[in-house]
Every structure is written in structure tokens, then in C-alpha cells.
Amino acid sequence: MYLQKHPEFFNEHLELLEKITIPHPSGNAISLISKQLEMFRSRHHEMESQLTTLIDIARDNDTAIMRMHKLTLALLDASTLEEVLENLTIVFNDYFFTDFFALRIVGNSPSPNLEEIFIPRGSEHLVPFLKELNNHTPSCGMPTLAQARVLFDGAAADVKSCAIIPMCFTELEGILAIGSREKDRYHYSMGNVFLTQMSELIGTRLISLLQKL
């Protein structure tokens, strides 16, 4: 095209810019300058939207890092299983804003005070979680009534959504669960990386404390 070969053309003929018209989708003709302004505005809005998305992602990442930091400190501060339960309950309530938290370890309880968090191997209470334990993959959404009863006891009916996170290690097998009264808080399309890292962090601390019993 002539203009591609002579980009300086309009610099030498500025008066033509106001006279040139370009067909508009609406059927009305507009000047070249108006068309350029329209294109610039469109690109500006697109770039602004992309920037907003990046800022939101960065803010979410900062929040996730802060929560993992608080979780790590809570685990390091615990010297017994009882303290782990107490600290995790506080962290999940205050920083993760969860309504419910549950921890279940597969095996025999080393103490009468800890029986409620242990599920013996072969127990029927493990059946509702076979999928998560066999796949080593967290699941999110509305729990089944059987799952909710094992995890949340009397509050089972109040849990509308939850994340069920398996802990599958050579030295430890168990289940973490965080629940909400909101049905859309934990949904099936959520990513698993953060939840898996959480289970690895908590599981590692549990293994260390169980070895001392």
C-alpha cells in the first residue's frame, strides 16, 4: 500500500487528516483522527484491565504467603499434638477465615485424650475418604453427609462446602479438612497446589511429634 511505503505522507499533508473518513460499523463515516482515538481508548481499556488482573493476582499471592507463614509459625510453636490442634484451629479461624477445621490421623490413638482425632485402620469411618486417600488428591465442594459426620460431628449439617485434603506419607496417613457455611467457598474448580503444600507442612510436623510419643 502507498501509505505503508510513504508513512511520512500525512506529516506533509496534515490538512487531509480532518477530511479523510473511514466507514464505521454503525454506518456513519468518521474521521481518521476519531478512528485513531477510538482505537487508542480500546487499547487503553484492555491494558488497564490486564494491569488490574495482575494486581489482583499479586495481592492474592501476598495473602497466600502471609497465611502460610502464620501456619508455619503455629506448627513450630506446638510441642504436642494437643497444641497442634489448638494452634491450627486459631490460625484457620483468624487468618484463613474458615468456619470449621478437622484433623483425622489413620491409626491407633497413643492417648485417650487424642482418640477423637484418630481413626483405626479398617474402620468404616475411612470408607467415605477412600477416593482422596487413594488418589492422594484434595477434593473441594459440598461433602457427603458421611464425610461431614466423620469430620465435623454435630456441626455436619452446617457445613455447606469444604476442602478435604489427604495426608499420605510413609510415616503418616490422615485427612485435613477446612469447611465453610457458604456453599461456594470451596468449589470443585479450585486449584490443589496450595492445599497440597499445606498438607505437606502439617503432615511433616505431625510426623515429628508422633515419633516422640
Side-chain angles (χ1 to χ4, degrees), residues 103-106 121 126 129-138 164-176 195-196 198-204 206-207:
L103 168 66
R104 298 291 183 269
I105 300 174
V106 179
R121 293 190 181 279
L126 288 177
F129 308 100
L130 291 180
K131 177 182 176 182
E132 289 81 6
L133 291 172
N134 290 335
N135 294 339
H136 300 183
T137 303
I164 298 175
I165 314 157
M167 295 184 294
C168 302
F169 308 96
T170 304
E171 305 91 339
L172 174 72
E173 188 174 26
I175 301 164
L176 294 169
L195 298 176
T196 300
M198 182 192 301
S199 74
E200 291 173 349
L201 189 62
I202 296 174
T204 299
L206 292 174
I207 291 170

PDB file of all heavy atoms in Angstrom, residues 103-106 121 126 129-138 164-176 195-196 198-204 206-207:
ATOM      1  N   LEU A 103      -9.017 -32.520  61.807  1.00  0.00           N
ATOM      2  CA  LEU A 103      -7.819 -33.327  61.570  1.00  0.00           C
ATOM      3  C   LEU A 103      -8.111 -34.754  61.997  1.00  0.00           C
ATOM      4  O   LEU A 103      -8.593 -34.994  63.112  1.00  0.00           O
ATOM      5  CB  LEU A 103      -6.630 -32.773  62.362  1.00  0.00           C
ATOM      6  CG  LEU A 103      -5.376 -33.665  62.443  1.00  0.00           C
ATOM      7  CD1 LEU A 103      -4.752 -33.823  61.060  1.00  0.00           C
ATOM      8  CD2 LEU A 103      -4.373 -33.084  63.425  1.00  0.00           C
ATOM      9  N   ARG A 104      -7.850 -35.702  61.098  1.00  0.00           N
ATOM     10  CA  ARG A 104      -8.013 -37.115  61.420  1.00  0.00           C
ATOM     11  C   ARG A 104      -6.751 -37.859  60.975  1.00  0.00           C
ATOM     12  O   ARG A 104      -6.288 -37.707  59.845  1.00  0.00           O
ATOM     13  CB  ARG A 104      -9.234 -37.706  60.712  1.00  0.00           C
ATOM     14  CG  ARG A 104     -10.557 -37.064  61.121  1.00  0.00           C
ATOM     15  CD  ARG A 104     -10.932 -37.401  62.559  1.00  0.00           C
ATOM     16  NE  ARG A 104     -12.223 -36.855  62.936  1.00  0.00           N
ATOM     17  CZ  ARG A 104     -12.401 -35.652  63.490  1.00  0.00           C
ATOM     18  NH1 ARG A 104     -11.341 -34.887  63.736  1.00  0.00           N
ATOM     19  NH2 ARG A 104     -13.595 -35.226  63.811  1.00  0.00           N
ATOM     20  N   ILE A 105      -6.201 -38.657  61.900  1.00  0.00           N
ATOM     21  CA  ILE A 105      -4.998 -39.441  61.629  1.00  0.00           C
ATOM     22  C   ILE A 105      -5.369 -40.914  61.620  1.00  0.00           C
ATOM     23  O   ILE A 105      -6.082 -41.394  62.515  1.00  0.00           O
ATOM     24  CB  ILE A 105      -3.917 -39.174  62.700  1.00  0.00           C
ATOM     25  CG1 ILE A 105      -3.533 -37.688  62.698  1.00  0.00           C
ATOM     26  CG2 ILE A 105      -2.683 -40.039  62.452  1.00  0.00           C
ATOM     27  CD1 ILE A 105      -2.580 -37.306  63.819  1.00  0.00           C
ATOM     28  N   VAL A 106      -4.912 -41.623  60.607  1.00  0.00           N
ATOM     29  CA  VAL A 106      -5.218 -43.046  60.491  1.00  0.00           C
ATOM     30  C   VAL A 106      -4.272 -43.837  61.394  1.00  0.00           C
ATOM     31  O   VAL A 106      -3.045 -43.753  61.267  1.00  0.00           O
ATOM     32  CB  VAL A 106      -5.076 -43.525  59.034  1.00  0.00           C
ATOM     33  CG1 VAL A 106      -5.367 -45.025  58.939  1.00  0.00           C
ATOM     34  CG2 VAL A 106      -6.006 -42.733  58.124  1.00  0.00           C
ATOM     35  N   ARG A 121      -7.180 -48.198  61.451  1.00  0.00           N
ATOM     36  CA  ARG A 121      -7.158 -48.775  60.103  1.00  0.00           C
ATOM     37  C   ARG A 121      -8.252 -49.842  59.986  1.00  0.00           C
ATOM     38  O   ARG A 121      -8.470 -50.628  60.898  1.00  0.00           O
ATOM     39  CB  ARG A 121      -5.793 -49.391  59.814  1.00  0.00           C
ATOM     40  CG  ARG A 121      -4.686 -48.360  59.718  1.00  0.00           C
ATOM     41  CD  ARG A 121      -3.402 -48.957  59.204  1.00  0.00           C
ATOM     42  NE  ARG A 121      -2.359 -47.933  59.144  1.00  0.00           N
ATOM     43  CZ  ARG A 121      -2.240 -47.064  58.146  1.00  0.00           C
ATOM     44  NH1 ARG A 121      -3.067 -47.117  57.122  1.00  0.00           N
ATOM     45  NH2 ARG A 121      -1.286 -46.148  58.157  1.00  0.00           N
ATOM     46  N   LEU A 126     -13.359 -44.654  57.485  1.00  0.00           N
ATOM     47  CA  LEU A 126     -12.417 -44.300  56.423  1.00  0.00           C
ATOM     48  C   LEU A 126     -13.022 -44.474  55.025  1.00  0.00           C
ATOM     49  O   LEU A 126     -12.522 -43.896  54.050  1.00  0.00           O
ATOM     50  CB  LEU A 126     -11.146 -45.160  56.522  1.00  0.00           C
ATOM     51  CG  LEU A 126     -10.193 -44.860  57.675  1.00  0.00           C
ATOM     52  CD1 LEU A 126      -9.038 -45.858  57.664  1.00  0.00           C
ATOM     53  CD2 LEU A 126      -9.659 -43.434  57.572  1.00  0.00           C
ATOM     54  N   PHE A 129     -13.663 -41.645  52.532  1.00  0.00           N
ATOM     55  CA  PHE A 129     -12.494 -40.884  52.078  1.00  0.00           C
ATOM     56  C   PHE A 129     -11.533 -41.715  51.230  1.00  0.00           C
ATOM     57  O   PHE A 129     -10.404 -41.298  50.974  1.00  0.00           O
ATOM     58  CB  PHE A 129     -11.742 -40.333  53.295  1.00  0.00           C
ATOM     59  CG  PHE A 129     -12.614 -39.568  54.246  1.00  0.00           C
ATOM     60  CD1 PHE A 129     -13.084 -40.163  55.410  1.00  0.00           C
ATOM     61  CD2 PHE A 129     -12.988 -38.261  53.966  1.00  0.00           C
ATOM     62  CE1 PHE A 129     -13.894 -39.469  56.285  1.00  0.00           C
ATOM     63  CE2 PHE A 129     -13.802 -37.561  54.835  1.00  0.00           C
ATOM     64  CZ  PHE A 129     -14.270 -38.168  56.002  1.00  0.00           C
ATOM     65  N   LEU A 130     -11.990 -42.873  50.775  1.00  0.00           N
ATOM     66  CA  LEU A 130     -11.113 -43.745  50.005  1.00  0.00           C
ATOM     67  C   LEU A 130     -10.626 -43.087  48.718  1.00  0.00           C
ATOM     68  O   LEU A 130      -9.480 -43.275  48.299  1.00  0.00           O
ATOM     69  CB  LEU A 130     -11.832 -45.062  49.685  1.00  0.00           C
ATOM     70  CG  LEU A 130     -12.089 -45.997  50.873  1.00  0.00           C
ATOM     71  CD1 LEU A 130     -12.811 -47.262  50.416  1.00  0.00           C
ATOM     72  CD2 LEU A 130     -10.773 -46.362  51.554  1.00  0.00           C
ATOM     73  N   LYS A 131     -11.487 -42.310  48.091  1.00  0.00           N
ATOM     74  CA  LYS A 131     -11.102 -41.639  46.844  1.00  0.00           C
ATOM     75  C   LYS A 131      -9.940 -40.683  47.076  1.00  0.00           C
ATOM     76  O   LYS A 131      -8.936 -40.714  46.349  1.00  0.00           O
ATOM     77  CB  LYS A 131     -12.296 -40.870  46.268  1.00  0.00           C
ATOM     78  CG  LYS A 131     -11.954 -40.075  45.012  1.00  0.00           C
ATOM     79  CD  LYS A 131     -13.156 -39.296  44.510  1.00  0.00           C
ATOM     80  CE  LYS A 131     -12.791 -38.428  43.310  1.00  0.00           C
ATOM     81  NZ  LYS A 131     -13.966 -37.631  42.843  1.00  0.00           N
ATOM     82  N   GLU A 132     -10.052 -39.838  48.086  1.00  0.00           N
ATOM     83  CA  GLU A 132      -8.993 -38.867  48.373  1.00  0.00           C
ATOM     84  C   GLU A 132      -7.705 -39.560  48.802  1.00  0.00           C
ATOM     85  O   GLU A 132      -6.601 -39.189  48.360  1.00  0.00           O
ATOM     86  CB  GLU A 132      -9.442 -37.892  49.464  1.00  0.00           C
ATOM     87  CG  GLU A 132     -10.500 -36.890  49.045  1.00  0.00           C
ATOM     88  CD  GLU A 132     -11.911 -37.460  49.066  1.00  0.00           C
ATOM     89  OE1 GLU A 132     -12.081 -38.617  49.517  1.00  0.00           O
ATOM     90  OE2 GLU A 132     -12.853 -36.768  48.642  1.00  0.00           O
ATOM     91  N   LEU A 133      -7.825 -40.582  49.639  1.00  0.00           N
ATOM     92  CA  LEU A 133      -6.640 -41.269  50.147  1.00  0.00           C
ATOM     93  C   LEU A 133      -5.949 -42.082  49.056  1.00  0.00           C
ATOM     94  O   LEU A 133      -4.716 -42.174  49.019  1.00  0.00           O
ATOM     95  CB  LEU A 133      -7.027 -42.176  51.318  1.00  0.00           C
ATOM     96  CG  LEU A 133      -7.466 -41.449  52.601  1.00  0.00           C
ATOM     97  CD1 LEU A 133      -8.006 -42.453  53.627  1.00  0.00           C
ATOM     98  CD2 LEU A 133      -6.306 -40.660  53.211  1.00  0.00           C
ATOM     99  N   ASN A 134      -6.727 -42.679  48.173  1.00  0.00           N
ATOM    100  CA  ASN A 134      -6.130 -43.490  47.103  1.00  0.00           C
ATOM    101  C   ASN A 134      -5.512 -42.630  46.009  1.00  0.00           C
ATOM    102  O   ASN A 134      -4.474 -42.975  45.429  1.00  0.00           O
ATOM    103  CB  ASN A 134      -7.183 -44.421  46.488  1.00  0.00           C
ATOM    104  CG  ASN A 134      -7.612 -45.527  47.438  1.00  0.00           C
ATOM    105  OD1 ASN A 134      -6.860 -45.911  48.336  1.00  0.00           O
ATOM    106  ND2 ASN A 134      -8.808 -46.054  47.256  1.00  0.00           N
ATOM    107  N   ASN A 135      -6.148 -41.493  45.721  1.00  0.00           N
ATOM    108  CA  ASN A 135      -5.644 -40.609  44.664  1.00  0.00           C
ATOM    109  C   ASN A 135      -4.609 -39.615  45.157  1.00  0.00           C
ATOM    110  O   ASN A 135      -3.939 -38.950  44.353  1.00  0.00           O
ATOM    111  CB  ASN A 135      -6.804 -39.837  44.020  1.00  0.00           C
ATOM    112  CG  ASN A 135      -7.760 -40.747  43.283  1.00  0.00           C
ATOM    113  OD1 ASN A 135      -7.402 -41.857  42.909  1.00  0.00           O
ATOM    114  ND2 ASN A 135      -8.979 -40.275  43.058  1.00  0.00           N
ATOM    115  N   HIS A 136      -4.497 -39.491  46.479  1.00  0.00           N
ATOM    116  CA  HIS A 136      -3.569 -38.517  47.078  1.00  0.00           C
ATOM    117  C   HIS A 136      -3.867 -37.103  46.585  1.00  0.00           C
ATOM    118  O   HIS A 136      -2.966 -36.282  46.434  1.00  0.00           O
ATOM    119  CB  HIS A 136      -2.107 -38.862  46.758  1.00  0.00           C
ATOM    120  CG  HIS A 136      -1.681 -40.202  47.250  1.00  0.00           C
ATOM    121  ND1 HIS A 136      -0.388 -40.666  47.121  1.00  0.00           N
ATOM    122  CD2 HIS A 136      -2.369 -41.203  47.880  1.00  0.00           C
ATOM    123  CE1 HIS A 136      -0.299 -41.887  47.643  1.00  0.00           C
ATOM    124  NE2 HIS A 136      -1.501 -42.207  48.112  1.00  0.00           N
ATOM    125  N   THR A 137      -5.148 -36.835  46.335  1.00  0.00           N
ATOM    126  CA  THR A 137      -5.542 -35.551  45.752  1.00  0.00           C
ATOM    127  C   THR A 137      -6.657 -34.907  46.570  1.00  0.00           C
ATOM    128  O   THR A 137      -7.647 -35.569  46.888  1.00  0.00           O
ATOM    129  CB  THR A 137      -6.035 -35.749  44.304  1.00  0.00           C
ATOM    130  OG1 THR A 137      -5.011 -36.385  43.543  1.00  0.00           O
ATOM    131  CG2 THR A 137      -6.374 -34.403  43.678  1.00  0.00           C
ATOM    132  N   PRO A 138      -6.526 -33.612  46.894  1.00  0.00           N
ATOM    133  CA  PRO A 138      -7.596 -32.923  47.612  1.00  0.00           C
ATOM    134  C   PRO A 138      -8.870 -32.844  46.783  1.00  0.00           C
ATOM    135  O   PRO A 138      -8.826 -32.868  45.555  1.00  0.00           O
ATOM    136  CB  PRO A 138      -7.015 -31.518  47.840  1.00  0.00           C
ATOM    137  CG  PRO A 138      -5.534 -31.673  47.700  1.00  0.00           C
ATOM    138  CD  PRO A 138      -5.349 -32.750  46.675  1.00  0.00           C
ATOM    139  N   ILE A 164     -11.279 -31.241  51.437  1.00  0.00           N
ATOM    140  CA  ILE A 164     -10.788 -32.450  52.096  1.00  0.00           C
ATOM    141  C   ILE A 164      -9.410 -32.745  51.533  1.00  0.00           C
ATOM    142  O   ILE A 164      -9.246 -32.964  50.335  1.00  0.00           O
ATOM    143  CB  ILE A 164     -11.744 -33.633  51.861  1.00  0.00           C
ATOM    144  CG1 ILE A 164     -13.118 -33.315  52.458  1.00  0.00           C
ATOM    145  CG2 ILE A 164     -11.178 -34.914  52.471  1.00  0.00           C
ATOM    146  CD1 ILE A 164     -14.167 -34.374  52.166  1.00  0.00           C
ATOM    147  N   ILE A 165      -8.414 -32.720  52.403  1.00  0.00           N
ATOM    148  CA  ILE A 165      -7.019 -32.781  51.965  1.00  0.00           C
ATOM    149  C   ILE A 165      -6.342 -34.016  52.564  1.00  0.00           C
ATOM    150  O   ILE A 165      -6.159 -34.094  53.784  1.00  0.00           O
ATOM    151  CB  ILE A 165      -6.261 -31.522  52.418  1.00  0.00           C
ATOM    152  CG1 ILE A 165      -7.087 -30.268  52.107  1.00  0.00           C
ATOM    153  CG2 ILE A 165      -4.888 -31.434  51.769  1.00  0.00           C
ATOM    154  CD1 ILE A 165      -6.729 -29.074  52.951  1.00  0.00           C
ATOM    155  N   PRO A 166      -5.980 -34.984  51.756  1.00  0.00           N
ATOM    156  CA  PRO A 166      -5.326 -36.182  52.289  1.00  0.00           C
ATOM    157  C   PRO A 166      -3.867 -35.917  52.658  1.00  0.00           C
ATOM    158  O   PRO A 166      -3.187 -35.116  52.010  1.00  0.00           O
ATOM    159  CB  PRO A 166      -5.424 -37.172  51.128  1.00  0.00           C
ATOM    160  CG  PRO A 166      -5.418 -36.309  49.906  1.00  0.00           C
ATOM    161  CD  PRO A 166      -6.165 -35.059  50.287  1.00  0.00           C
ATOM    162  N   MET A 167      -3.421 -36.567  53.704  1.00  0.00           N
ATOM    163  CA  MET A 167      -2.004 -36.572  54.062  1.00  0.00           C
ATOM    164  C   MET A 167      -1.512 -37.997  53.853  1.00  0.00           C
ATOM    165  O   MET A 167      -1.915 -38.905  54.583  1.00  0.00           O
ATOM    166  CB  MET A 167      -1.808 -36.139  55.519  1.00  0.00           C
ATOM    167  CG  MET A 167      -2.213 -34.710  55.815  1.00  0.00           C
ATOM    168  SD  MET A 167      -1.850 -34.236  57.537  1.00  0.00           S
ATOM    169  CE  MET A 167      -2.991 -35.317  58.421  1.00  0.00           C
ATOM    170  N   CYS A 168      -0.679 -38.185  52.860  1.00  0.00           N
ATOM    171  CA  CYS A 168      -0.239 -39.529  52.505  1.00  0.00           C
ATOM    172  C   CYS A 168       1.286 -39.577  52.489  1.00  0.00           C
ATOM    173  O   CYS A 168       1.931 -39.182  51.508  1.00  0.00           O
ATOM    174  CB  CYS A 168      -0.797 -39.941  51.143  1.00  0.00           C
ATOM    175  SG  CYS A 168      -2.612 -39.904  51.052  1.00  0.00           S
ATOM    176  N   PHE A 169       1.849 -40.028  53.598  1.00  0.00           N
ATOM    177  CA  PHE A 169       3.291 -40.143  53.734  1.00  0.00           C
ATOM    178  C   PHE A 169       3.635 -41.558  54.186  1.00  0.00           C
ATOM    179  O   PHE A 169       2.769 -42.297  54.662  1.00  0.00           O
ATOM    180  CB  PHE A 169       3.823 -39.133  54.762  1.00  0.00           C
ATOM    181  CG  PHE A 169       3.387 -37.712  54.502  1.00  0.00           C
ATOM    182  CD1 PHE A 169       2.275 -37.192  55.149  1.00  0.00           C
ATOM    183  CD2 PHE A 169       4.072 -36.912  53.606  1.00  0.00           C
ATOM    184  CE1 PHE A 169       1.867 -35.892  54.921  1.00  0.00           C
ATOM    185  CE2 PHE A 169       3.679 -35.608  53.368  1.00  0.00           C
ATOM    186  CZ  PHE A 169       2.564 -35.098  54.024  1.00  0.00           C
ATOM    187  N   THR A 170       4.891 -41.919  54.076  1.00  0.00           N
ATOM    188  CA  THR A 170       5.325 -43.241  54.540  1.00  0.00           C
ATOM    189  C   THR A 170       5.063 -43.398  56.023  1.00  0.00           C
ATOM    190  O   THR A 170       4.638 -44.459  56.503  1.00  0.00           O
ATOM    191  CB  THR A 170       6.821 -43.443  54.251  1.00  0.00           C
ATOM    192  OG1 THR A 170       7.061 -43.259  52.858  1.00  0.00           O
ATOM    193  CG2 THR A 170       7.266 -44.837  54.667  1.00  0.00           C
ATOM    194  N   GLU A 171       5.308 -42.335  56.783  1.00  0.00           N
ATOM    195  CA  GLU A 171       5.170 -42.396  58.244  1.00  0.00           C
ATOM    196  C   GLU A 171       3.805 -41.949  58.752  1.00  0.00           C
ATOM    197  O   GLU A 171       3.535 -42.014  59.951  1.00  0.00           O
ATOM    198  CB  GLU A 171       6.238 -41.513  58.903  1.00  0.00           C
ATOM    199  CG  GLU A 171       7.665 -41.820  58.492  1.00  0.00           C
ATOM    200  CD  GLU A 171       8.100 -40.979  57.291  1.00  0.00           C
ATOM    201  OE1 GLU A 171       7.201 -40.499  56.564  1.00  0.00           O
ATOM    202  OE2 GLU A 171       9.306 -40.803  57.097  1.00  0.00           O
ATOM    203  N   LEU A 172       2.966 -41.461  57.865  1.00  0.00           N
ATOM    204  CA  LEU A 172       1.695 -40.895  58.329  1.00  0.00           C
ATOM    205  C   LEU A 172       0.646 -40.922  57.227  1.00  0.00           C
ATOM    206  O   LEU A 172       0.937 -40.644  56.063  1.00  0.00           O
ATOM    207  CB  LEU A 172       1.904 -39.442  58.775  1.00  0.00           C
ATOM    208  CG  LEU A 172       0.641 -38.656  59.147  1.00  0.00           C
ATOM    209  CD1 LEU A 172       0.084 -39.152  60.475  1.00  0.00           C
ATOM    210  CD2 LEU A 172       0.932 -37.164  59.210  1.00  0.00           C
ATOM    211  N   GLU A 173      -0.573 -41.264  57.625  1.00  0.00           N
ATOM    212  CA  GLU A 173      -1.710 -41.170  56.724  1.00  0.00           C
ATOM    213  C   GLU A 173      -2.844 -40.507  57.475  1.00  0.00           C
ATOM    214  O   GLU A 173      -3.109 -40.837  58.638  1.00  0.00           O
ATOM    215  CB  GLU A 173      -2.148 -42.557  56.239  1.00  0.00           C
ATOM    216  CG  GLU A 173      -3.200 -42.511  55.141  1.00  0.00           C
ATOM    217  CD  GLU A 173      -3.512 -43.882  54.592  1.00  0.00           C
ATOM    218  OE1 GLU A 173      -3.319 -44.873  55.322  1.00  0.00           O
ATOM    219  OE2 GLU A 173      -3.967 -43.974  53.433  1.00  0.00           O
ATOM    220  N   GLY A 174      -3.479 -39.543  56.844  1.00  0.00           N
ATOM    221  CA  GLY A 174      -4.547 -38.849  57.540  1.00  0.00           C
ATOM    222  C   GLY A 174      -5.305 -37.915  56.630  1.00  0.00           C
ATOM    223  O   GLY A 174      -5.122 -37.907  55.408  1.00  0.00           O
ATOM    224  N   ILE A 175      -6.181 -37.116  57.236  1.00  0.00           N
ATOM    225  CA  ILE A 175      -7.052 -36.220  56.492  1.00  0.00           C
ATOM    226  C   ILE A 175      -7.132 -34.875  57.205  1.00  0.00           C
ATOM    227  O   ILE A 175      -7.313 -34.807  58.425  1.00  0.00           O
ATOM    228  CB  ILE A 175      -8.475 -36.795  56.373  1.00  0.00           C
ATOM    229  CG1 ILE A 175      -8.460 -38.141  55.664  1.00  0.00           C
ATOM    230  CG2 ILE A 175      -9.402 -35.824  55.650  1.00  0.00           C
ATOM    231  CD1 ILE A 175      -9.743 -38.918  55.850  1.00  0.00           C
ATOM    232  N   LEU A 176      -6.992 -33.803  56.422  1.00  0.00           N
ATOM    233  CA  LEU A 176      -7.264 -32.452  56.894  1.00  0.00           C
ATOM    234  C   LEU A 176      -8.540 -31.977  56.218  1.00  0.00           C
ATOM    235  O   LEU A 176      -8.815 -32.343  55.078  1.00  0.00           O
ATOM    236  CB  LEU A 176      -6.126 -31.501  56.520  1.00  0.00           C
ATOM    237  CG  LEU A 176      -4.762 -31.724  57.155  1.00  0.00           C
ATOM    238  CD1 LEU A 176      -3.733 -30.861  56.439  1.00  0.00           C
ATOM    239  CD2 LEU A 176      -4.807 -31.383  58.632  1.00  0.00           C
ATOM    240  N   LEU A 195      -3.297 -26.349  48.668  1.00  0.00           N
ATOM    241  CA  LEU A 195      -3.811 -27.311  49.637  1.00  0.00           C
ATOM    242  C   LEU A 195      -2.815 -28.451  49.871  1.00  0.00           C
ATOM    243  O   LEU A 195      -2.629 -28.903  51.003  1.00  0.00           O
ATOM    244  CB  LEU A 195      -5.152 -27.883  49.151  1.00  0.00           C
ATOM    245  CG  LEU A 195      -6.290 -26.877  48.975  1.00  0.00           C
ATOM    246  CD1 LEU A 195      -7.521 -27.564  48.398  1.00  0.00           C
ATOM    247  CD2 LEU A 195      -6.635 -26.209  50.308  1.00  0.00           C
ATOM    248  N   THR A 196      -2.173 -28.903  48.805  1.00  0.00           N
ATOM    249  CA  THR A 196      -1.175 -29.975  48.933  1.00  0.00           C
ATOM    250  C   THR A 196       0.023 -29.508  49.748  1.00  0.00           C
ATOM    251  O   THR A 196       0.531 -30.242  50.609  1.00  0.00           O
ATOM    252  CB  THR A 196      -0.709 -30.443  47.536  1.00  0.00           C
ATOM    253  OG1 THR A 196      -1.842 -30.946  46.810  1.00  0.00           O
ATOM    254  CG2 THR A 196       0.328 -31.543  47.659  1.00  0.00           C
ATOM    255  N   MET A 198      -0.012 -27.258  52.006  1.00  0.00           N
ATOM    256  CA  MET A 198      -0.486 -27.164  53.382  1.00  0.00           C
ATOM    257  C   MET A 198      -0.427 -28.524  54.069  1.00  0.00           C
ATOM    258  O   MET A 198       0.026 -28.646  55.214  1.00  0.00           O
ATOM    259  CB  MET A 198      -1.925 -26.622  53.385  1.00  0.00           C
ATOM    260  CG  MET A 198      -2.515 -26.420  54.770  1.00  0.00           C
ATOM    261  SD  MET A 198      -4.298 -26.109  54.670  1.00  0.00           S
ATOM    262  CE  MET A 198      -4.311 -24.639  53.637  1.00  0.00           C
ATOM    263  N   SER A 199      -0.884 -29.567  53.367  1.00  0.00           N
ATOM    264  CA  SER A 199      -0.879 -30.910  53.955  1.00  0.00           C
ATOM    265  C   SER A 199       0.545 -31.393  54.209  1.00  0.00           C
ATOM    266  O   SER A 199       0.811 -32.067  55.209  1.00  0.00           O
ATOM    267  CB  SER A 199      -1.612 -31.888  53.046  1.00  0.00           C
ATOM    268  OG  SER A 199      -0.858 -32.208  51.901  1.00  0.00           O
ATOM    269  N   GLU A 200       1.474 -31.044  53.317  1.00  0.00           N
ATOM    270  CA  GLU A 200       2.868 -31.450  53.495  1.00  0.00           C
ATOM    271  C   GLU A 200       3.475 -30.774  54.710  1.00  0.00           C
ATOM    272  O   GLU A 200       4.224 -31.390  55.481  1.00  0.00           O
ATOM    273  CB  GLU A 200       3.674 -31.112  52.238  1.00  0.00           C
ATOM    274  CG  GLU A 200       3.293 -31.959  51.026  1.00  0.00           C
ATOM    275  CD  GLU A 200       3.971 -31.498  49.757  1.00  0.00           C
ATOM    276  OE1 GLU A 200       4.581 -30.404  49.764  1.00  0.00           O
ATOM    277  OE2 GLU A 200       3.890 -32.221  48.747  1.00  0.00           O
ATOM    278  N   LEU A 201       3.151 -29.517  54.893  1.00  0.00           N
ATOM    279  CA  LEU A 201       3.677 -28.757  56.029  1.00  0.00           C
ATOM    280  C   LEU A 201       3.153 -29.315  57.352  1.00  0.00           C
ATOM    281  O   LEU A 201       3.919 -29.587  58.286  1.00  0.00           O
ATOM    282  CB  LEU A 201       3.282 -27.288  55.870  1.00  0.00           C
ATOM    283  CG  LEU A 201       3.906 -26.283  56.826  1.00  0.00           C
ATOM    284  CD1 LEU A 201       5.409 -26.252  56.676  1.00  0.00           C
ATOM    285  CD2 LEU A 201       3.327 -24.895  56.571  1.00  0.00           C
ATOM    286  N   ILE A 202       1.836 -29.493  57.420  1.00  0.00           N
ATOM    287  CA  ILE A 202       1.229 -30.004  58.654  1.00  0.00           C
ATOM    288  C   ILE A 202       1.631 -31.451  58.891  1.00  0.00           C
ATOM    289  O   ILE A 202       1.962 -31.843  60.020  1.00  0.00           O
ATOM    290  CB  ILE A 202      -0.308 -29.880  58.567  1.00  0.00           C
ATOM    291  CG1 ILE A 202      -0.702 -28.406  58.492  1.00  0.00           C
ATOM    292  CG2 ILE A 202      -0.971 -30.553  59.772  1.00  0.00           C
ATOM    293  CD1 ILE A 202      -2.185 -28.166  58.266  1.00  0.00           C
ATOM    294  N   GLY A 203       1.634 -32.258  57.836  1.00  0.00           N
ATOM    295  CA  GLY A 203       1.996 -33.661  57.980  1.00  0.00           C
ATOM    296  C   GLY A 203       3.410 -33.850  58.491  1.00  0.00           C
ATOM    297  O   GLY A 203       3.675 -34.723  59.334  1.00  0.00           O
ATOM    298  N   THR A 204       4.344 -33.038  58.007  1.00  0.00           N
ATOM    299  CA  THR A 204       5.731 -33.139  58.442  1.00  0.00           C
ATOM    300  C   THR A 204       5.867 -32.858  59.937  1.00  0.00           C
ATOM    301  O   THR A 204       6.606 -33.545  60.652  1.00  0.00           O
ATOM    302  CB  THR A 204       6.612 -32.152  57.654  1.00  0.00           C
ATOM    303  OG1 THR A 204       6.554 -32.472  56.264  1.00  0.00           O
ATOM    304  CG2 THR A 204       8.066 -32.215  58.115  1.00  0.00           C
ATOM    305  N   LEU A 206       3.445 -33.186  62.191  1.00  0.00           N
ATOM    306  CA  LEU A 206       2.778 -34.275  62.912  1.00  0.00           C
ATOM    307  C   LEU A 206       3.681 -35.489  63.035  1.00  0.00           C
ATOM    308  O   LEU A 206       3.742 -36.132  64.096  1.00  0.00           O
ATOM    309  CB  LEU A 206       1.464 -34.646  62.222  1.00  0.00           C
ATOM    310  CG  LEU A 206       0.333 -33.622  62.272  1.00  0.00           C
ATOM    311  CD1 LEU A 206      -0.825 -34.091  61.407  1.00  0.00           C
ATOM    312  CD2 LEU A 206      -0.118 -33.396  63.713  1.00  0.00           C
ATOM    313  N   ILE A 207       4.367 -35.827  61.958  1.00  0.00           N
ATOM    314  CA  ILE A 207       5.277 -36.968  61.983  1.00  0.00           C
ATOM    315  C   ILE A 207       6.357 -36.772  63.048  1.00  0.00           C
ATOM    316  O   ILE A 207       6.665 -37.690  63.811  1.00  0.00           O
ATOM    317  CB  ILE A 207       5.934 -37.173  60.599  1.00  0.00           C
ATOM    318  CG1 ILE A 207       4.888 -37.652  59.592  1.00  0.00           C
ATOM    319  CG2 ILE A 207       7.087 -38.163  60.668  1.00  0.00           C
ATOM    320  CD1 ILE A 207       5.369 -37.650  58.165  1.00  0.00           C
TER     321      ILE A 207
END
